[in-house]
Amino acid sequence: MANVRLVQALGIDLVVVDDGSGPAFESVLEEVRGMGIAVLALPENVGLGRALNEGVARARALFDASHVLTLDQDTRLSATFLTEVSATLQAASRASVKVGLVGAGIINGHAVGDTWTAGGLDHVVEAIQSGFVVPVTVLDEVGPFEESYFIDLIDIEYLFRLRRAGYVTLVSPRAAIEHSIGERLTVAILGHSLKRQGASVSFSYHPPFRRYYINRNRVALFRAYGRSNSAWVARKAFMETKVFAASLLFGRERLSQVRAAVAGLRDGLRGVDGRIPWGLERALVLGRENGRRTDARP
């Protein structure tokens, strides 16, 4: 609720999309409605891509907007976010740059990586979906977010699709957000945290069901855009392999991680999309519960 109030205070017309949370969250949604905010409660979990598209469609039906801002529930905008993004959009317009979207340039106090400056604008290959500001004319031309991915890499797919259509993808260098990106686990050997320059070494850990989507959708992404972005594919494959290795060596649910990773690669190669198969999802959830019980033993 604090995030909703913060965004509302910035003068943004809001649509809150609930992706199948169920009756337990109805009181929260009623509180949001009481604030005069439109709520779209989906009957079941339809995935991030469709939830975004449903929310965008409802927002466009309710408001006469030139741009759409997408936000996750755990994202906090800085007080100057809109001012900074507007400045970037104006600079791009003066330079006659065809902008597909503008994203946050600072996440959790750190500047977004893999950017380059051209014509006074900060271009980016990858940016997280939460904090996207997209012109509605771009949505009309390029289309909605990819629903078949369900979750994970939906933002990266959209960035590549924009650039394929001739748009540039930017970040606003001083537009800041706070956002939770996975769970950070510390690398520990024999009970001692590994240090680098005095700081603990950590990595981003995802539960097995997310590993399935990451691997499956990564294959789909490589197939769709890899031929014209071979260097990026090689770099991302190497980085993803390192993260997965860290998960196996220092993470939890190792057997479930392997099962999910293999299934994701297999289904990606087979062209399977949508929600994770029910049987696999149940097995991974049960494996996670068993792992928690094991971790809780004295």
Side-chain angles (χ1 to χ4, degrees):
M1 290 302 300
N3 288 351
V4 173
R5 293 189 182 93
L6 176 62
V7 175
Q8 189 181 43
L10 293 176
I12 300 174
D13 292 320
L14 279 172
V15 173
V16 172
V17 181
D18 176 71
D19 194 10
S21 296
F25 287 85
E26 184 56 35
S27 61
V28 176
L29 299 181
E30 278 303 313
E31 187 176 352
V32 174
R33 292 187 184 99
M35 298 167 62
I37 296 172
V39 172
L40 177 59
L42 302 176
E44 61 180 354
N45 182 359
V46 298
L48 176 61
R50 182 175 168 188
L52 285 168
N53 291 335
E54 295 276 2
V56 167
R58 177 64 62 88
R60 296 189 65 181
L62 293 174
F63 312 120
D64 182 21
S66 60
H67 295 75
V68 171
L69 166 66
T70 64
L71 289 173
D72 291 347
Q73 78 280 0
D74 57 353
T75 299
R76 293 180 64 86
L77 299 177
S78 66
T80 60
F81 180 88
L82 289 181
T83 302
E84 295 295 343
V85 170
S86 295
T88 297
L89 287 168
Q90 291 168 12
S93 178
R94 290 193 297 269
S96 299
V97 171
K98 192 179 177 183
V99 177
L101 63 79
V102 178
I106 301 173
I107 301 175
N108 300 331
H110 301 285
V112 172
D114 293 331
T115 64
W116 69 97
T117 301
L121 299 169
D122 291 77
H123 298 244
V124 68
V125 175
E126 297 184 43
I128 64 170
Q129 166 272 132
S130 194
F132 274 3
V133 177
V134 188
V136 295
T137 53
V138 172
L139 291 166
D140 289 335
E141 180 179 343
V142 179
F145 293 98
E146 182 56 67
E147 296 183 6
S148 68
Y149 281 24
F150 200 81
I151 190 174
D152 284 309
L153 304 180
I154 291 169
D155 40 18
I156 309 305
E157 190 281 332
Y158 203 68
L159 286 159
F160 274 105
R161 190 160 19 124
L162 286 171
R163 287 192 290 272
R164 178 176 283 180
Y167 288 94
V168 300
T169 51
L170 306 173
V171 293
S172 186
R174 290 182 295 277
I177 64 172
E178 294 179 10
H179 180 75
S180 175
I181 304 177
E183 179 184 2
R184 300 299 300 183
L185 293 185
T186 300
V187 174
I189 300 175
L190 298 177
H192 298 283
S193 297
L194 187 64
K195 303 282 187 179
R196 179 185 298 162
Q197 296 180 343
S200 296
V201 177
S202 63
F203 64 97
S204 182
Y205 176 82
H206 295 286
F209 83 95
R210 291 286 302 277
R211 174 56 52 193
Y212 169 84
Y213 286 115
I214 290 170
N215 280 20
R216 188 196 69 183
N217 294 346
R218 186 75 70 187
V219 172
L221 197 65
F222 288 173
R223 281 183 156 180
Y225 302 100
R227 185 168 297 180
S228 57
N229 299 276
S230 56
W232 176 85
V233 167
R235 181 165 55 87
K236 295 305 296 185
F238 175 70
M239 292 174 62
E240 203 64 57
T241 300
K242 288 200 304 180
V243 171
F244 181 58
S247 296
L248 294 183
L249 289 172
F250 307 107
R252 303 184 297 266
E253 309 158 276
R254 294 177 177 87
L255 291 178
S256 293
Q257 285 281 347
V258 172
R259 182 174 185 178
V262 171
L265 290 172
R266 179 198 63 212
D267 285 356
L269 292 171
R270 291 176 176 176
V272 175
D273 57 24
R275 187 165 184 168
I276 183 174
W278 181 85
L280 176 61
E281 182 178 31
R282 178 172 172 78
L284 295 178
V285 169
L286 289 175
R288 193 170 203 206
E289 291 175 351
N290 292 335
R292 285 173 177 166
R293 285 195 289 269
T294 300
D295 292 340
R297 291 174 185 168

